[in-house]
């Protein structure tokens, strides 16, 4: 059985690529044959986050336009040999992705025995975002606890229910999950940031995971190692938990509370 | 909470404000989703007209498109403010 996941959000910069890299790595780590595809035509970035930017020869559009085979374009991950990356094209031609072409590539990946195909969507609701979600079986909606991100997520949920192949064929939308990122429990406790519960209630879909705001995420992208590999970081551990839930394990939520401050900080800290 | 926090003016709980605003806008956008593009505008214009006569909040007009065998039905509901003294509790 092969499953196609879309990592989407509507709003830009909320953590889709960070999430795609970590979820795909986590699935591979658990032994699933996984491919992760960058749909952000013109703004290739997944390769950097995965740390394989210097090995990109052919990209997604080359495969769609039959300038390269899928085998030539797939980049094998350094850490897991059951994980492959398909880079986005740097072309400025936004029409380079076609529905037929994307469908063909996904079918070929399934025939090649990939268990999970993770589609990293671009921001917005234009063609790239549409094609990233169109063939998906399941959706992970990445959201920050912030008004514009939550509203955009709801737009995306609407599109997932009406503009995917599943929806068009009357199968109804596949499972949808919320993934809250850049969560800051201290600010939630101070009433400065909406809580997981608030966001879950407004959007009405279950939460797959909560990734705390963490300095380790920048360190990970600086070094081209998905943060899930940083077992010492809370963001990495939270992504690990999210992967476990994705494959059906029942794992309690962690990192929802602010670390307790020491005595001195309590008295004089900010 | 630190000692210094007591000296500062307490900031408002803006998370609650965000949650309430989102509740309203998300409900509105869901109700008009998939319907004709003019629904949000229609809703706002209706609100303007109603406000000429009664003082109502921004979310007083709810609009909804229901699909049935006989076609589409535009459902409209207007929440009027409570009239003082009309209800037992005042
Ligand atoms: N949990 C986190 N803690 C701290 N920083 C984070 C976290 N998640 C993401 N970031 C930072 O947020 C920025 C945007 O992340 P990312 O590129 O993954 O977002 P995106 O949704 O893919 O953006 P785009 O819409 O442009 O594709 C990056 O600088 C990343 O390091
Ligand atoms: Mg991205």
């Amino acid at each position: 059985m092969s499953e196609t996941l879309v990592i989407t959000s509507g709003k830009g910069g909320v953590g889709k690529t960070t999430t795609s890299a970590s979820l795909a790595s986590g699935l591979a780590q658990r032994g699933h044959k996984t491919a992760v595809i960058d749909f952000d035509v013109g703004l290739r970035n997944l390769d950097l986050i995965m740390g394989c930017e210097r090995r990109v020869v052919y990209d997604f559009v080359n495969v769609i336009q039959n300038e390269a085979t899928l085998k030539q374009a797939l980049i094998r991950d350094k850490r897991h040999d059951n994980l492959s990356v398909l880079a986005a094209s740097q072309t400025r031609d936004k029409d380079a992705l076609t529905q037929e072409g994307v469908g063909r590539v996904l079918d070929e990946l399934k025939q090649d025995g990939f268990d999970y195909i993770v589609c990293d969507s671009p921001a917005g609701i234009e063609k790239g975002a549409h094609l990233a979600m169109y063939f998906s079986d399941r959706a992970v909606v990445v959201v920050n606890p912030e008004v514009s991100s939550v509203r955009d997520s709801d737009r995306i949920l609407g599109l997932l229910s009406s503009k995917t192949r599943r929806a068009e064929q009357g199968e109804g939308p596949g499972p949808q999950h919320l993934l809250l990122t850049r969560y800051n429990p201290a600010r939630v406790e101070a009433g400065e940031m909406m809580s997981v519960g608030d966001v879950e209630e407004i959007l009405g879909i279950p939460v797959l995971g909560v990734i705390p705001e963490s300095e380790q995420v920048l360190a990970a992208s600086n070094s081209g190692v998905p943060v899930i590999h940083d077992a010492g970081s809370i963001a990495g551990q939270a992504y690990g938990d999210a992967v476990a839930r994705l494959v059906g394990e029942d794992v309690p939520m962690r990192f929802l509370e602010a670390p307790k401050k020491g005595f001195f900080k309590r008295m004089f800290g900010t | 909470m630190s000692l210094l926090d007591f000296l500062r003016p307490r900031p408002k709980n803006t998370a609650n404000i965000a949650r309430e605003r989102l509740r309203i806008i998300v409900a509105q956008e869901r109700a008009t989703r998939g319907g004709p593009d003019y629904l949000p505008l229609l809703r706002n214009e209706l609100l303007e007209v109603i406000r000429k006569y009664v003082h109502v909040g921004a979310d007083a007009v709810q609009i909804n498109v229901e699909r049935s065998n006989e076609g589409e039905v535009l459902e409209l509901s207007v929440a009027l403010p409570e009239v003082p003294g009309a209800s037992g509790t005042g």
Side-chain angles (χ1 to χ4, degrees):
Chain A
M1 238 294 280
S2 169
E3 199 164 48
T4 306
L5 296 170
V6 61
I7 316 298
T8 183
S9 70
K11 188 170 159 64
V14 297
K16 293 178 294 295
T17 301
T18 305
T19 297
S20 301
S22 276
L23 295 187
S25 298
L27 288 166
Q29 205 162 25
R30 286 171 165 264
H32 303 289
K33 188 172 173 182
T34 304
V36 56
I37 308 180
D38 191 346
F39 275 75
D40 209 341
V41 172
L43 293 170
R44 172 195 294 169
N45 270 326
L46 179 67
D47 56 337
L48 276 176
I49 305 303
M50 294 295 299
C52 64
E53 71 279 4
R54 284 161 59 191
R55 290 190 288 142
V56 178
V57 181
Y58 297 110
D59 60 51
F60 196 10
V61 169
N62 292 139
V63 181
I64 285 179
Q65 296 181 343
N66 294 314
E67 294 154 358
T69 63
L70 181 58
K71 212 192 195 101
Q72 286 173 310
L74 284 178
I75 306 162
R76 175 103 16 128
D77 185 63
K78 280 179 286 206
R79 297 161 208 94
H80 301 293
D81 61 8
N82 58 349
L83 175 59
S84 300
V85 181
L86 185 53
S89 162
Q90 289 288 46
T91 172
R92 279 181 297 170
D93 176 13
K94 289 283 174 194
D95 292 327
L97 291 186
T98 59
Q99 183 160 306
E100 178 275 327
V102 172
R104 186 157 38 82
V105 172
L106 295 179
D107 282 342
E108 195 175 335
L109 286 169
K110 285 176 203 164
Q111 266 150 33
D112 288 350
F114 281 91
D115 302 313
Y116 288 99
I117 304 168
V118 178
C119 302
D120 178 17
S121 173
I125 52 174
E126 303 297 314
K127 191 166 187 187
H130 170 70
L131 288 177
M133 73 167 67
Y134 186 73
F135 297 98
S136 66
D137 302 307
R138 259 163 113 177
V140 174
V141 178
V142 179
V143 59
N144 293 166
E146 174 270 322
V147 284
S148 46
S149 174
V150 173
R151 182 200 210 167
D152 287 0
S153 299
D154 196 61
R155 287 282 315 266
I156 286 292
L157 289 171
L159 296 176
L160 284 166
S161 316
S162 59
K163 296 282 192 282
T164 56
R165 183 172 62 176
R166 288 181 62 110
E168 282 178 9
Q169 294 177 348
E171 292 169 48
Q176 300 170 337
H177 312 272
L178 280 184
L179 188 84
L180 265 83
T181 59
R182 313 202 71 157
Y183 195 70
N184 188 329
R187 302 198 71 183
V188 172
E189 283 164 26
E192 297 170 2
M193 184 182 265
M194 283 180 284
S195 68
V196 202
D198 290 341
V199 177
E200 187 174 25
E201 191 193 317
I202 293 162
L203 294 175
I205 60 168
V207 174
L208 177 72
V210 178
I211 314 299
E213 171 84 25
S214 155
E215 288 163 11
Q216 261 66 49
V217 174
L218 182 59
S221 69
N222 283 343
S223 17
V225 182
V227 71
I228 195 168
H229 290 299
D230 183 355
S233 75
I234 53 174
Q237 292 170 32
Y239 273 120
D241 290 357
V243 172
R245 294 185 199 107
L246 203 56
V247 298
E249 289 175 20
D250 194 9
V251 182
M253 292 282 175
R254 292 193 277 171
F255 318 117
L256 300 187
E257 268 154 42
K260 294 285 167 280
K261 287 181 183 172
F263 172 77
F264 187 80
K265 265 205 150 168
R266 257 202 329 267
M267 295 305 284
F268 304 105
T270 49
Chain B
M1 173 158 310
S2 91
L3 251 178
L4 298 179
D5 284 339
F6 285 111
L7 305 174
R8 277 190 216 123
R10 295 276 291 133
K12 269 194 260 167
N13 188 320
T14 55
N16 286 344
I17 304 175
R19 188 185 58 216
E20 291 317 310
R21 291 173 62 214
L22 278 167
R23 262 205 196 121
I24 293 166
I25 193 71
V26 165
Q28 270 175 18
E29 289 180 349
R30 283 186 182 178
T32 51
R33 185 176 290 160
D37 283 347
Y38 59 73
L39 284 184
L41 188 61
L42 174 64
R43 199 193 73 84
N44 287 344
E45 289 189 4
L46 284 168
L47 185 65
E48 289 305 305
V49 173
I50 290 164
R51 277 182 164 173
K52 284 188 192 165
Y53 301 92
V54 257
H55 185 75
V56 291
D59 56 329
V61 176
Q62 299 292 344
I63 215 169
N64 207 357
V65 179
E66 285 289 326
R67 283 173 198 83
S68 70
N69 301 340
E70 282 103 78
E72 293 189 334
V73 177
L74 183 67
E75 283 181 355
L76 185 71
S77 79
V78 183
L80 292 178
E82 273 186 46
V83 184
S87 78
T89 50

